[in-house]
Amino acid sequence: MAASRTNWILPAAAVVVFVAVVAVLVAAREPRFEGRTGGEWIVSASQDPDNLAQYGAVFVRAQATGASFLARRLVADPPKWKLRLISFYNQHAPKLGLRHIQPNPGAGQKPIIRKLLGYCGDQAALELNKLLTTASMPNRLEIIRAMAELGPDAAPIVGPRLPPLLSDPLDSVVYETITALAAVGFDPAAVVPRLIPFLHNWDSRARVEASYALGVYAPMPELTLDPLIAALADTNQVVRANAARALGYIGKPAARALEPLARLLKDDALVSARAVEAMAMIAGNKATEQAGFTTAHATHLASTDRYNQLMVLRASRRLSWPTPGLEEVCSHLLRSQSNWQVWEAVDALTELEPRPAWAERLLEKAAKHSNGLVRTKARTALER
């Protein structure tokens, strides 16, 4: 009996020792910011997404130290020895009534870390530049996504690193790079000509990203008009919608696009709403002469899709029509997790002249957004 008890106690003791070692290693000391660890601030930010600016400010006040912590946490992968210890622990912990440990607890925090980095400006840009070369492939994607959060102010630092990535052999890198270039607005004269060929790419995702990015960069009709008109016939509905959007921003010089745009009024809902928006931006009140325009406008205005409603409300403004519900639509979209929806809501707010008090309040809120392009758009409008 004593020997049997010894055979049980020794393995249990070994497990307890390993558990203690793992606990110490997993709970390695983190840098502290204003009395709390960086990890604790990240967890608090993820639980309070409506007040990200106050959490971002903690890392901004820490300057390079705060940005460095966030950037390194973004790309932190547990070493193999630590993963083995955690795996051993997880195999035996239930027998001792102990809690399971996540192998990489920081993986789910990456989206919130990117947003917090968005507040850190040049300091974050410098740290991300350092890490881009040596990071593993999944983390390279995270770095590029984080660069997109920085916005135009970071363009001089991160911008030069992005165009070469348009030739990367991995499609996923190319997708994220196109989005990041649109968000930081780096070197239009060099980048826009490089985006145009992606409108003909075999990969629909590449075409989607390029067609949207061409609507974010300032219009260059001499280069983009014909390729964008051709893209209105793309087999992918999002590409057609994005091409319509980009043509709308070209304005009157895109008059040749009115006929193909009119054919999209009976297309997929997103495409149709974009066509209404683009036609109003290009032709103003003359857009109403196109068959189906008024019907499509009314249909989207009555829908429950806030994003599509925003498009036709922007068309209404161009036509000097009433814009019922614009405040509610913009307020709703400013809370979106999709940055492009927030960008477009801010664009709609900046177009209002004279600007009502509710629009001023929403722009003040947008000026504290984690995305740098959103902040730039809002602050520029508030300063006018």
Side-chain angles (χ1 to χ4, degrees):
M1 179 68 71
S4 175
R5 191 161 46 244
T6 301
N7 290 340
W8 176 84
I9 291 173
L10 289 176
V15 170
V16 170
V17 171
F18 267 103
V19 167
V21 171
V22 171
V24 170
L25 292 171
V26 171
R29 186 170 179 82
E30 284 187 349
R32 299 180 74 83
F33 302 92
E34 301 182 11
R36 302 174 67 189
T37 67
E40 289 171 339
W41 283 116
I42 291 170
V43 170
S44 294
S46 66
Q47 295 170 345
D48 189 17
D50 291 335
N51 294 296
L52 280 186
Q54 70 184 41
Y55 300 102
V58 171
F59 296 99
V60 171
R61 286 192 289 269
Q63 300 181 341
T65 304
S68 177
F69 168 77
L70 289 171
R72 293 183 184 281
R73 175 61 71 91
L74 181 71
V75 300
D77 293 318
K80 290 181 179 179
W81 60 264
K82 192 171 183 179
L83 290 173
R84 291 192 188 102
L85 281 175
I86 293 175
S87 176
F88 179 88
Y89 167 88
N90 284 336
Q91 287 174 18
H92 297 282
K95 302 172 187 176
L96 301 174
L98 298 174
R99 190 172 59 183
H100 184 273
I101 294 178
Q102 291 294 331
N104 186 4
Q109 296 176 344
K110 290 181 186 291
I112 203 73
I113 293 172
R114 293 198 304 266
K115 290 179 180 296
L116 292 172
L117 279 165
Y119 289 106
C120 294
D122 287 357
Q123 297 287 359
L126 292 168
E127 293 296 330
L128 293 170
N129 267 1
K130 291 177 191 175
L131 295 170
L132 183 61
T133 304
T134 57
S136 64
M137 178 46 57
N139 286 328
R140 283 180 70 201
L141 297 176
E142 290 294 341
I143 290 169
I144 298 168
R145 292 181 187 120
M147 287 177 168
E149 294 290 345
L150 300 179
D153 289 347
I157 299 174
V158 302
R161 300 296 301 275
L162 293 171
L165 298 178
L166 292 173
S167 302
D168 196 276
L170 287 178
D171 294 334
S172 55
V173 171
V174 175
Y175 306 151
E176 299 297 344
T177 298
I178 295 173
T179 299
L181 282 166
V184 303
F186 177 69
D187 196 0
V191 170
V192 169
R194 293 196 61 179
L195 294 179
I196 293 171
F198 285 104
L199 293 176
H200 312 293
N201 196 279
W202 66 271
D203 188 332
S204 62
R205 173 73 185 277
R207 302 199 306 275
V208 165
E209 300 298 342
S211 55
Y212 193 88
L214 288 170
V216 177
Y217 273 100
M220 295 185 184
E222 66 282 4
L223 297 176
T224 62
L225 180 56
D226 289 334
L228 287 170
I229 290 175
L232 294 177
D234 195 278
T235 55
N236 184 286
Q237 70 269 27
V238 181
V239 176
R240 297 196 297 275
N242 289 348
R245 173 180 177 272
L247 287 163
Y249 277 109
I250 291 175
K252 290 182 179 180
R256 287 194 289 111
L258 284 174
E259 185 176 338
L261 283 168
R263 291 197 289 269
L264 300 183
L265 291 172
K266 295 182 179 180
D267 204 314
D268 167 89
L270 174 66
V271 182
S272 175
R274 282 290 189 212
V276 169
E277 176 189 46
M279 292 170 71
M281 295 175 78
I282 293 168
N285 283 309
K286 290 186 177 180
T288 61
E289 298 171 5
Q290 297 285 345
F293 178 92
T294 304
T295 300
H297 181 281
T299 299
H300 294 300
L301 192 60
S303 76
T304 57
D305 188 315
R306 298 292 184 267
Y307 192 37
N308 290 357
Q309 282 183 348
L310 179 69
M311 297 170 204
V312 298
L313 285 169
R314 293 184 74 186
S316 295
R317 197 195 66 79
R318 295 276 177 165
L319 301 168
S320 299
W321 291 358
T323 54
L326 182 59
E327 178 180 1
E328 191 278 331
V329 167
C330 288
S331 180
H332 176 87
L333 293 178
L334 285 179
R335 299 191 298 271
S336 173
Q337 294 301 306
S338 300
N339 281 338
W340 63 86
Q341 295 194 5
V342 186
W343 295 341
E344 293 181 40
V346 172
D347 281 343
L349 293 171
T350 63
E351 294 169 351
L352 298 175
E353 293 294 343
R355 187 181 301 150
W358 63 262
E360 194 82 5
R361 289 194 299 271
L362 291 179
L363 284 171
E364 289 170 357
K365 180 179 179 180
K368 299 176 183 177
H369 197 273
S370 62
N371 184 267
L373 181 55
V374 172
R375 292 198 305 275
T376 298
K377 287 173 176 285
R379 290 173 181 175
T380 301
L382 290 169
E383 289 168 1
R384 287 205 303 265

